């Protein structure tokens, strides 16, 4: 691992420039392929990116506020209270100071947020493993099969940016900043809980580490746990306990405030937001619904291939997380990635969206980034270039389909 204590400091943006340029190139490739594919099908790529599916719900919140709902024939109620407010607030703010419509303002926010997210991912990976791994991590995030969502008026890029920079703030001991960014992440998506958990876990571990170092030594204390021994984790210590406590207090305020507001508005009390989500058939069932969905794929031969693919995909995600643990990633990264993964895989939501819901779990990419960084540059470039081309084609195919991502 890079010696973080002695490595020469460099301006973070200049240090991240290769990663950001590579990221922009991958996203530009995806947009060009999408434009060509959409034109061939007589569709507007701009509309696909800014005014379909969830984008429409966020735009409606920005324009009209909360209170809109759709009642389906089966009795389900789709309320826009299910959508957290930060993106609509930003859409409204950008539209107020520019000629952009709410939809196009959302696209602008998403585009800028994707660059901020790429920068944050680089900052975290660079902090833990060095610059080369940071560049590879950003490019891997860019070439994800569902990477086109990073260029949409969705919340994935905005949330990932806030989460990555909050984690970076934790790793560098900027506790108040970490708490504020965690609160903003909690105003963006329900999975903001993962950032809160990471901040809390890091603060508690930092406090426990300080207590361990100040206790009188009466003998051999045994080996230091790996998550405490990790130098990135140690660099987050040294703050006054009150500062860490303030970060822990700030972190959940965004999500908690919105959930309580929804409960008061609906009359459902503290659990009112869960009722709103139930109207969308969203919930947390430990993965039972997803397991049944996968099992149903094996009822016929063609769909059985999709079932095999889903099982392989889930196994790969679990394996990557195990590798993250084995490679002793800093505790906040492990907690964050674990919670994001658990919420994505164990929710009873629309199953086609699960790859998109997993996108913010970027620490899972770090083992692959380390492997690419260790390879020769031409080999890494060839791998990433090939995957980028496949991802661009798949993204265009996906967005031109009938279902939401």
């Amino acid at each position: 691992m890079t010696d973080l204590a002695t490595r020469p400091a460099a301006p973070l943006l200049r240090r991240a420039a290769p990663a950001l340029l590579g990221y922009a190139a991958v996203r530009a490739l995806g947009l060009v392929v999408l434009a060509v594919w959409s034109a061939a099908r007589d569709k507007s790529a701009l509309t696909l990116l800014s005014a379909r599916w969830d984008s429409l719900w966020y735009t409606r919140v920005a324009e009209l506020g909360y209170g809109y709902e759709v009642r389906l024939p089966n009795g389900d109620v789709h309320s826009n209270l299910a959508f957290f407010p930060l993106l609509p607030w930003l859409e409204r703010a950008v539209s107020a100071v520019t000629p952009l419509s709410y939809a196009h303002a959302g696209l602008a926010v998403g585009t800028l947020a994707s660059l901020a997210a790429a920068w944050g991912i680089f900052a975290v990976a660079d902090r833990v493993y060095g610059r080369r791994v940071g560049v590879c991590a950003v490019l891997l995030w860019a070439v994800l099969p569902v990477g086109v969502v990073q260029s949409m008026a969705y919340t994935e890029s905005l949330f990932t940016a806030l989460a990555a920079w909050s984690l970076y703030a934790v790793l560098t001991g900027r506790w108040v900043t970490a708490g504020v960014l965690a609160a903003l992440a909690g105003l963006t998506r329900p999975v903001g809980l993962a950032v809160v958990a990471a901040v809390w876990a890091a603060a508690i571990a930092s406090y426990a580490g300080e207590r361990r170092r100040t206790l009188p030594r009466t003998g051999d204390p045994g080996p230091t746990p790996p998550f405490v021994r990790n130098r990135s984790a140690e660099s987050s210590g040294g703050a006054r306990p009150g500062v860490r406590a303030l970060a822990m207090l700030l972190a959940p305020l965004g999500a908690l405030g919105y959930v309580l507001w929804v409960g008061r508005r609906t009359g459902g009390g503290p659990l009112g937001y869960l009722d709103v989500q139930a109207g969308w058939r969203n919930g947390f069932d430990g993965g039972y619904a997803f397991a049944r969905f996968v099992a149903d794929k094996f009822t016929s031969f063609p769909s059985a291939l999709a079932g095999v693919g889903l099982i392989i995909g889930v196994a790969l995600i679990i394996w990557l997380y195990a590798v993250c643990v084995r490679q002793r990633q800093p505790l906040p990264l492990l907690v964050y990635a674990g919670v994001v993964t658990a919420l994505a895989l164990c929710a009873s939501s629309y199953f086609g969206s699960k790859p998109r819901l997993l996108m913010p779990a970027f620490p899972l990419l770090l083992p692959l980034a380390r492997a690419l960084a260790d390879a020769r540059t031409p080999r890494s470039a060839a791998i990433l270039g090939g995957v980028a081309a496949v991802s661009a084609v798949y993204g265009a195919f996906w967005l031109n389909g009938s279902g939401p991502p």
Side-chain angles (χ1 to χ4, degrees):
M1 183 180 293
T2 303
D3 189 344
L4 301 175
T6 61
R7 187 177 63 197
L12 193 54
L13 181 57
R14 186 171 67 222
R15 189 173 177 83
L20 297 180
L21 289 173
Y23 177 80
V26 172
R27 292 274 36 90
L29 173 64
L31 293 177
V32 168
V33 174
L34 174 64
V36 173
W37 190 299
S38 302
R41 295 176 59 89
D42 198 25
K43 292 184 178 180
S44 167
L46 183 61
T47 300
L48 292 176
L49 293 170
S50 63
R52 289 189 75 188
W53 303 305
D54 288 7
S55 298
L56 292 174
W57 287 90
Y58 286 115
T59 298
R60 190 173 285 114
V61 173
E63 183 177 5
L64 303 174
Y66 286 104
Y68 176 82
E69 62 183 29
V70 175
R71 295 184 178 272
L72 304 183
N74 65 357
D76 289 346
V77 178
H78 288 184
S79 168
N80 65 359
L81 290 169
F83 296 87
F84 278 50
L86 185 58
L87 178 58
W89 288 347
L90 293 175
E91 289 177 342
R92 188 179 299 172
V94 171
S95 184
V97 298
T98 68
L100 296 176
S101 66
Y102 290 122
H104 294 165
L107 188 58
V109 170
T111 300
L112 293 175
S114 71
L115 290 171
W119 189 9
I121 291 170
F122 171 84
V124 170
D126 178 39
R127 178 74 185 177
V128 180
Y129 295 121
R131 186 182 192 183
R132 188 174 173 87
V133 175
V135 172
C136 291
V138 169
L139 294 178
L140 282 171
W141 192 67
V143 303
L144 288 173
V146 294
V148 69
V149 175
Q150 298 164 17
S151 299
M152 297 179 66
Y154 269 42
T155 56
E156 273 69 25
S157 291
L158 179 60
F159 174 79
T160 304
L162 294 167
W165 284 109
S166 179
L167 292 171
Y168 179 76
V170 167
L171 294 177
T172 55
R174 297 172 172 87
W175 290 101
V176 175
T177 300
V180 171
L181 292 173
L184 291 174
L187 283 171
T188 307
R189 297 184 61 81
V191 75
L193 172 66
V195 191
V196 176
V199 172
W200 278 49
I204 293 171
S206 177
Y207 176 75
E210 287 184 358
R211 289 280 297 172
R212 187 181 296 107
R213 289 190 291 270
T214 57
L215 288 175
R217 295 182 179 271
T218 58
D220 182 9
T224 304
F227 302 138
V228 175
R229 188 165 63 243
N230 184 286
R231 280 174 289 192
S232 292
E234 284 182 352
S235 69
S236 65
R240 295 189 301 274
V243 176
R244 291 193 295 263
L246 178 59
M248 294 176 70
L249 177 65
L250 290 171
L253 291 183
L256 183 63
Y258 181 69
V259 167
L260 292 178
W261 179 80
V262 170
R264 181 177 180 182
R265 183 182 176 99
T266 61
L271 301 181
Y273 181 75
L274 298 181
D275 296 333
V276 171
Q277 287 286 2
W280 287 81
R281 295 187 179 269
N282 290 336
F284 187 87
D285 62 2
Y288 175 73
F290 185 43
R292 287 191 57 185
F293 173 77
V294 174
D296 289 343
K297 294 294 181 182
F298 291 92
T299 56
S300 62
F301 173 71
S303 64
L305 297 177
V308 172
L310 288 170
I311 291 175
I312 293 174
V314 172
L316 176 62
I317 291 167
I318 294 173
W319 175 77
L320 283 174
Y321 188 77
V323 174
C324 292
V325 174
R326 190 164 61 248
Q327 292 183 348
R328 297 178 176 178
Q329 281 189 15
L331 178 62
L333 300 189
L334 292 175
V335 171
Y336 168 75
V339 175
V340 172
T341 302
L343 290 177
L345 295 181
C346 298
S348 58
S349 55
Y350 177 64
F351 303 116
S353 294
K354 289 195 179 292
R356 171 173 65 86
L357 299 179
L358 285 164
M359 186 185 300
F362 68 88
L364 296 179
L365 299 174
L366 296 185
L368 300 178
R370 293 185 70 183
L372 280 175
D374 290 339
R376 293 182 179 274
T377 299
R379 181 180 179 85
S380 299
I383 292 173
L384 288 169
V387 176
V390 173
S391 175
V393 172
Y394 179 76
F397 167 78
W398 196 32
L399 282 196
N400 276 275
S402 59

